[in-house]
Amino acid sequence: MLIGHLGDDIKMHYFDGGNCIGRFPLATNEVYINKSTNEKITSTEWHNLVVRNKAAEICEKYLSKGDKIYIEGRIKSRQWQAEDGTTKYTTEIQVTEFTFLNVKKDSESNKHNPTSESKNTNFDSPNTPIENDLPY
């Protein structure tokens, strides 16, 4: 499970038979305080993500560089022979589930069309109705 920001737009690859994959980098950040200097340190880790078929098309349509996303997936490592004969290695996250955490395209279209209903719910607002006020 990862939460991060897209480092680039989705790069699509289409195959015979109608299948496709989308690839994009995801940046995750860790923020901590250096105890000896009291300095705030941000560490960024980059992950190579792969989505397939319909999920890839949905991601391509609604996501762009900088958008925040939650993903679930499996880590896969693979190797291949490069043209120069060297062995290359890569580790990727094969995405199985995802949730868009902010989508610029939707929020921009809602600004231009005041009659459209917002798809994002702000749970931090004190005016947000709570339908099921359960104690747990």
Side-chain angles (χ1 to χ4, degrees):
M1 293 181 277
L2 297 171
I3 295 177
H5 291 87
L6 274 69
D8 201 356
D9 291 336
I10 314 263
K11 305 291 189 245
M12 296 294 291
H13 303 279
Y14 295 91
F15 304 101
D16 293 337
N19 292 328
C20 64
I21 63 171
R23 298 179 183 276
F24 61 95
L26 184 79
T28 57
N29 294 320
E30 177 184 9
V31 179
Y32 60 94
I33 304 293
N34 182 324
K35 291 183 180 182
S36 61
T37 63
N38 218 20
E39 177 185 6
K40 182 178 173 180
I41 307 291
T42 301
S43 173
T44 301
E45 189 74 31
W46 288 94
H47 312 273
N48 297 315
L49 274 60
V50 177
V51 288
R52 298 185 180 283
N53 299 321
K54 185 67 174 172
E57 292 171 348
I58 291 169
C59 287
E60 180 189 33
K61 181 176 179 180
Y62 292 105
L63 291 174
S64 60
K65 181 178 179 177
D67 285 342
K68 192 172 188 179
I69 187 171
Y70 165 83
I71 67 103
E72 294 181 20
R74 295 183 303 276
I75 296 175
K76 292 286 188 173
S77 297
R78 59 186 177 89
Q79 69 181 33
W80 70 95
Q81 292 298 120
E83 291 180 12
D84 64 1
T86 60
T87 303
K88 301 287 184 173
Y89 300 90
T90 190
T91 301
E92 302 169 324
I93 308 294
Q94 302 284 325
V95 176
T96 56
E97 301 285 331
F98 58 87
T99 301
F100 303 150
L101 298 180
N102 71 337
V103 180
K104 294 177 186 171
K105 292 177 185 176
D106 279 352
S107 61
E108 287 175 7
S109 66
N110 286 339
K111 288 179 191 173
H112 299 302
N113 185 0
T115 60
S116 70
E117 186 175 315
S118 175
K119 295 180 183 177
N120 299 328
T121 304
N122 182 359
F123 293 105
D124 296 329
S125 170
N127 298 326
T128 301
I130 299 174
E131 294 178 13
N132 296 322
D133 191 13
L134 299 176
Y136 55 92

